[in-house]
Amino acid sequence: MNRSETLTDRPDFALVGVLRVPGIQNSPGTAILRRIGYALTALALVVVVVYLDRDGYSDTQGDDLSLLDCIYYATVSLSTTGYGDIAPITEQARLINVLVITPLRVFFLIVLVGTTLSALTESSRQAFKIQRWRRSTRNHTIVAGYGTKGRTAVTAILGDGVRPSDIVVVDTDPVVLERAIGQGLVTVHGSATKSDVLRLAGADRASSIVVATNRDDTAVLVTLTAREIAPDARIVAAVRESENTQLLRQSGANSVVVSSETAGRLLGVSTTAPTVVEMIEDLLTPETGLAITEREVHPSEIGDSPRHLSDIVLGVVRGGHLHRVGGPDIDTVQQGDKLLYVRRVPS
C-alpha cells in the first residue's frame, strides 16, 4: 500500500519524519561544549572539596594527598570507577562524600549521558509536537512546492507579519524541506497531489493554499485536490504558460499568476523605463520601502471617495470583486468594503 494513502490514519509517532514541527534549533557543537563545561565544573568542584579536606583521606601507602591525588580521586570517583586506593577515613570526610561528592557524581553521569538521552527522546518530543500541532492549528497557509517561487512566496508572507509556525511547506525534496525547517516552518514530506498529504498538512483547516509547483500539469492536479479538500480556502496558483490560466481557474484557483508573462513584461519595461521596474519590485517586497496591502474600511471613511482618503488607494474590493479607483462603479466606499492601498513599511 502506498505510504501517502494511509498518512492521516497513522498515529502521531508514526508521522515523525513525514510531518515536522520545528522547535528551538541548537547547534550540536554548542550543546556538546556546554555539557563538557558542566562536567569539568563538577570535576573541579570535587577536586576543591577533596583538597580542602585532604587530611580526612588516606591512600594505600599512608601518604598525604597531593593536588594530583585529589584530581585523581575526583576523576575515578565521579566516573564511578572507584579503585579504592584513596578513601575517606574521618567522619567529616565521609559526610562530605555523602552530601557533596555523591550528588555531583550523579550530576556528572547525567551530563555524560545527556546527549544520548536527548537523541533517544527527540522522536517522542517530535511526536508530541505533531499531536499538539494537528489539534490546535487553524487558518494557516499551505505552500505546495518550495522552489524559487515557493521560497519567494514564503518570504512575502512572512514580511506581512505571518508567524513561521502558521506556514506549512509541502514538498518531495528533503533538501528543500531542511531549508524550510531552518526558517521555522512546518513541513510535510510528500506530494501535494495526494489528498492524504494535503490533509496531513491541514488543508481542510487552512485559510489559504499557495500552489508553487514547477510544472503546470502538477499545479492543476494540486489545485483540484486542494479544492476538493478545502472548499472555502483561498487558492493561489502559479503557472508558466498563460494558456493554462483558465484551466487553473476551472480547477478551483481563486487567483492565477502567470510567471513567464509577468517576467517578460518586466523585462520589456526595464528596457525603456527601468525605474518603473524598480518601483514594482519595491511594492512587491513587503520588508522595506512601499508595499501593497489590503485592509478594512474604517467607520470614519464610509461615504468618502477612495481618491480622497489619507492612504493611496488603488482599488476597492466589494462583494469579492476588485474595482479600480477612478472607474464608474466606485464613487464612495461603503461598510464592508476592503481597500487595496499602498503603505509605507517602517525601516
Side-chain angles (χ1 to χ4, degrees):
M1 182 176 294
N2 191 290
R3 180 190 66 169
S4 62
E5 292 176 355
T6 58
L7 284 179
T8 54
D9 296 329
R10 291 186 177 189
D12 295 321
F13 68 85
L15 296 173
V16 175
V18 179
L19 173 62
R20 296 179 62 184
V21 182
I24 299 175
Q25 302 292 323
N26 291 321
S27 167
T30 301
I32 293 174
L33 289 176
R34 185 184 298 116
R35 294 180 189 278
I36 293 176
Y38 292 155
L40 292 178
T41 300
L43 179 64
L45 184 58
V46 172
V47 171
V48 171
V49 170
V50 174
Y51 185 77
L52 292 177
D53 192 37
R54 58 188 179 279
D55 293 337
Y57 292 80
S58 175
D59 62 10
T60 54
Q61 299 176 351
D63 297 330
D64 294 333
L65 265 63
S66 64
L67 177 60
L68 180 60
D69 292 330
C70 295
I71 296 175
Y72 166 75
Y73 175 79
T75 303
V76 298
S77 179
L78 288 186
S79 63
T80 68
T81 304
Y83 294 115
D85 50 348
I86 299 178
I89 56 175
T90 65
E91 292 184 358
Q92 176 180 336
R94 290 172 178 172
L95 181 62
I96 292 176
N97 220 276
V98 171
L99 298 180
V100 179
I101 297 179
T102 298
L104 286 174
R105 181 184 298 119
V106 174
F107 173 76
F108 187 84
L109 292 176
I110 291 175
V111 169
L112 290 182
V113 301
T115 303
T116 304
L117 291 176
S118 177
L120 292 176
T121 59
E122 174 60 29
S123 178
S124 299
R125 289 201 302 267
Q126 186 64 215
F128 174 75
K129 287 191 290 186
I130 289 173
Q131 180 185 50
R132 184 176 57 185
W133 181 86
R134 296 180 71 185
R135 184 175 59 247
S136 61
T137 299
R138 298 289 186 277
N139 299 321
H140 55 292
T141 299
I142 297 175
V143 178
Y146 202 60
T148 302
K149 290 181 290 188
R151 291 195 298 271
T152 305
V154 167
T155 301
I157 295 170
L158 294 173
D160 284 335
V162 177
R163 297 181 304 174
S165 59
D166 288 334
I167 301 175
V168 182
V169 172
V170 181
D171 204 294
T172 57
D173 189 344
V175 176
V176 301
L177 291 181
E178 285 296 331
R179 297 181 188 173
I181 282 288
Q183 286 189 280
L185 311 177
V186 180
T187 64
V188 175
H189 183 209
S191 173
T193 60
K194 304 291 186 180
S195 59
D196 265 15
V197 173
L198 287 180
R199 291 185 188 277
L200 184 61
D204 54 328
R205 307 184 302 273
S207 61
S208 57
I209 300 174
V210 177
V211 182
T213 56
N214 292 326
R215 294 168 54 98
D216 287 5
D217 54 349
T218 305
V220 172
L221 186 54
V222 172
T223 302
L224 282 169
T225 307
R227 181 53 71 200
E228 180 183 4
I229 298 173
D232 298 326
R234 178 170 181 80
I235 300 179
V236 182
V239 293
R240 292 178 179 271
E241 305 299 334
S242 60
E243 60 193 39
N244 296 320
T245 300
Q246 188 60 30
L247 184 58
L248 261 294
R249 292 191 182 276
Q250 292 175 352
S251 301
N254 299 98
S255 302
V256 180
V257 178
V258 184
S259 58
S260 58
E261 287 196 357
T262 302
R265 292 191 187 100
L266 291 177
L267 288 173
V269 171
S270 65
T271 61
T272 57
T275 53
V276 173
V277 177
E278 184 178 345
M279 177 58 69
I280 292 175
E281 290 180 344
D282 187 10
L283 291 173
L284 295 177
T285 306
E287 295 89 351
T288 58
L290 302 175
I292 300 177
T293 188
E294 188 179 89
R295 68 170 175 83
E296 301 284 347
V297 171
H298 300 315
S300 60
E301 297 173 334
I302 296 176
D304 293 342
S305 170
R307 289 175 292 183
H308 299 155
L309 300 179
S310 57
D311 293 319
I312 302 175
V313 179
L314 303 178
V316 177
V317 180
R318 180 176 297 170
H321 298 284
L322 174 62
H323 302 272
R324 291 168 178 80
V325 171
D329 300 332
I330 301 295
D331 292 329
T332 60
V333 295
Q334 301 175 4
Q335 185 176 2
D337 287 346
K338 292 183 178 180
L339 301 180
L340 192 69
Y341 74 104
V342 178
R343 69 179 175 91
R344 178 173 295 278
V345 180
S347 57

